[in-house]
Amino acid sequence: MRTRTALRFVTATAALGAGTLAYASLVERNMFTLRRFDVPVLAPDSEPLRLLHISDLHMMPGQRRKQDWVAALAAATDPDLVITTGDNLAHPAAVPAVTRALAPLLNRPGAFVFGSNDYRGPVLKNPFGYFNKNRRYVQGAELPTEDLRDALVRAGWADLNNARTVLKAGGRSIELAGVDDPHVGRDDYLPAPAAEADLHLGLTHSPEPRVLAEMAADGFTLLLAGHTHGGQVRVPGVGALVSNCGLDRRMARGLHRWPGSDAWLHVSAGLGTHPTAPIRFACRPEASLLTLIPR
């Protein structure tokens, strides 16, 4: 009797595990979702401004469903400004797929920073390695970074990798400061007081606290990041198990106040997955429409 009970338990557990894995890999990772947030960062009596935040496409050439969904965001959200926070590529031939997805948005004001997977391709990893903060970072084959950069810059988007600029969007002047990916030590943020502008945005791929704290101290009131995938696998009632960076895992997705400042932080859970771990659970792939409103 005990043997039969134990066998039923093992069989049921295995079936549940297989079903969960199938759902995470075949269903949820393709359940693209548009999230909406109101962010009170504008001066009193200002008109709202719509900011579309896209991150972590991890695009493969044949992912037409993802490309079509992203392309449809232009009509669905009518953004005043588009921001992408890196990890666009997952294959050496993926630049045309990324530009196809972004094409309807490229005639809007925009800016971008890159992530590590815009420079080097994916390699097979042990997913449990993300719990080891001291693991060695392994990079794959070189990707056509400059082809992607040229395409975005030619469209008029601002390259904010270790750079600052002021641009016009939605009838407002917007100062932006960005860094190249801190996750692989490419960041070079030079502290300086925020310039005269109606809005101040800070961009980084990996939301490393040291970078976010410097931007907030300089007067940047909305900080945008990706990288975390929202944890990618979240436990209901617990949330993300890891953030894959120095950020508290409780802030691995969504809109939060940055501690000790007037700044807001929005971390996108992103639209893709690492090609060698194509699963999501309780963490749908997402883009976000941030409606900026008066404080």
Side-chain angles (χ1 to χ4, degrees):
M1 180 67 72
R2 290 178 180 175
T3 300
R4 287 199 299 271
T5 300
L7 183 59
R8 290 193 192 103
F9 176 77
V10 170
T11 302
T13 301
L16 178 62
T20 300
L21 181 61
Y23 166 79
S25 61
L26 300 176
V27 180
E28 184 166 322
R29 75 179 179 95
N30 293 308
M31 295 173 68
F32 305 117
T33 300
L34 178 65
R35 301 198 183 277
R36 299 174 185 267
F37 299 90
D38 289 343
V39 192
V41 291
L42 299 180
D45 301 322
S46 297
E47 290 294 319
L49 186 146
R50 294 180 303 280
L51 187 160
L52 179 63
H53 183 192
I54 296 172
S55 197
D56 295 85
L57 288 168
H58 291 282
M59 190 70 77
M60 299 286 283
Q63 292 179 325
R64 297 296 290 247
R65 182 189 302 179
K66 187 194 299 183
Q67 295 165 36
D68 291 342
W69 190 87
V70 173
L73 289 173
T77 64
D78 189 24
D80 298 303
L81 177 65
V82 183
I83 299 294
T84 64
T85 49
D87 274 8
N88 300 281
L89 304 175
H91 189 279
V95 171
V98 172
T99 55
R100 179 181 181 272
L102 296 177
L105 296 163
L106 291 176
N107 63 353
R108 313 293 176 108
F112 65 93
V113 293
F114 284 155
S116 61
N117 288 138
D118 291 308
Y119 294 99
R120 304 296 290 265
V123 295
L124 185 64
K125 297 179 181 179
N126 177 358
F128 293 102
Y130 288 104
F131 292 95
N132 178 11
K133 294 183 179 180
N134 298 316
R135 72 186 185 280
R136 184 171 67 91
Y137 183 77
V138 179
Q139 296 181 311
E142 290 188 8
L143 295 175
T145 310
E146 297 311 313
D147 292 347
L148 178 60
R149 191 193 311 273
D150 290 347
L152 298 179
V153 171
R154 280 199 309 270
W157 281 15
D159 181 352
L160 270 297
N161 288 290
N162 298 328
R164 291 189 184 215
T165 193
V166 177
L167 57 75
K168 286 281 189 179
R172 262 63 63 89
S173 62
I174 303 174
E175 182 189 21
L176 303 102
V179 295
D180 209 340
D181 192 3
H183 187 61
V184 288
R186 299 183 68 100
D187 58 302
D188 184 17
Y189 180 74
L190 298 176
E196 282 292 324
D198 298 311
L199 176 64
H200 307 275
L201 304 180
L203 281 60
T204 177
H205 175 66
S206 178
E208 297 296 344
R210 58 181 174 80
V211 174
L212 300 173
E214 286 189 301
M215 290 178 170
D218 280 349
F220 289 86
T221 50
L222 177 55
L223 312 175
L224 304 171
H227 177 71
T228 65
H229 294 191
Q232 193 162 319
V233 173
R234 297 174 67 93
V235 176
V238 176
L241 300 178
V242 294
S243 68
N244 193 27
C245 63
L247 188 70
D248 189 308
R249 63 178 180 81
R250 292 171 293 184
M251 302 173 74
R253 182 182 73 177
L255 185 67
H256 305 272
R257 291 304 297 264
W258 183 248
S261 76
D262 294 328
W264 291 87
L265 168 66
H266 180 258
V267 180
S268 173
L271 282 161
T273 62
H274 194 286
T276 65
I279 61 170
R280 280 183 178 260
F281 185 77
C283 189
R284 292 184 180 184
E286 66 179 42
S288 296
L289 181 66
L290 309 180
T291 301
L292 312 186
I293 59 175
R295 290 185 291 271

